[in-house]
Amino acid sequence: TSGTADTSPGIHGGSGSTKAWSHTIAVDGSLSDWNTADYRPTSSDWKRSSLNAGMVTWDSTNVYLGFEHPDVESGTSEHWFVVYLGTEAQGGNQGFALNTQEPTLLADASFALAIKLDGSYAMWKTWSGQGWDHHDFSVSGGVTASVNDQLEVAIPRASLGSPAQINVYMSL
């Protein structure tokens, strides 16, 4: 995610390197301004038409996350959208406890975001070196919006330490 925003979608760079599509998203709960190149595989199928799609892009200011799933619309206070973000900052591979679940992550994460799908609460967590410190999501300057089964999130890159690379792990 380093450098300036790409001006055309697809594969860029030399020697077969791939850079994701980079552009600004209007965080309004509609996924209409996302590109196919922004879609990421999920546990069932990566295509938006599958009703289970995760999306990631960025610009010089924010990292944007999008998610489409029926639980976004029908979710209760027991349904959570959870994202772990790994950066160059120190991180841990143990997720935080949420109800009865506490995942082991595939790689270290430095930050985490959890949003109740009924819209009642969002929390931001930072890895302290020994566990997760809790903050309200508004502390990070983040923005969320959801409409029907679509959720969008903007996380300021500055709240992540403006890293050159970010690993993203999304779950519902």
Side-chain angles (χ1 to χ4, degrees), residues 42-64:
T42 64
S43 59
S44 62
D45 191 349
W46 67 274
K47 297 178 183 175
R48 255 188 89 192
S49 61
S50 74
L51 297 177
N52 188 11
M55 289 148 266
V56 178
T57 193
W58 70 91
D59 60 19
S60 62
T61 305
N62 294 302
V63 173
Y64 299 97

Side-chain angles (χ1 to χ4, degrees), residues 5-12 18-23 34-38:
D6 293 334
T7 57
S8 60
I11 298 174
H12 303 281
T18 302
K19 291 183 180 179
W21 174 246
S22 174
H23 58 104
W34 292 82
N35 298 310
T36 304
D38 302 329

Side-chain angles (χ1 to χ4, degrees), residues 2 13 27-28 35 53-54 62 67 70 93-94 96 98 122 135 145 147 153 156 159 170:
S2 62
V27 180
D28 56 8
N35 298 310
N62 294 302
F67 206 79
N93 72 344
Q94 187 64 41
F96 61 89
L98 189 59
H135 314 277
V147 174
V153 179
S159 69
M170 288 189 240

Side-chain angles (χ1 to χ4, degrees), residues 108-160:
D108 288 351
S110 319
F111 304 93
L113 170 65
I115 301 170
K116 281 188 176 186
L117 292 181
D118 69 353
S120 65
Y121 187 68
M123 67 177 128
W124 179 248
K125 299 218 176 231
T126 56
W127 181 255
S128 69
Q130 300 191 10
W132 292 98
D133 292 336
H134 175 80
H135 314 277
D136 288 332
F137 185 48
S138 60
V139 170
S140 74
V143 177
T144 65
S146 64
V147 174
N148 299 322
D149 63 350
Q150 301 174 2
L151 171 70
E152 292 182 305
V153 179
I155 301 171
R157 289 176 62 134
S159 69
L160 303 171

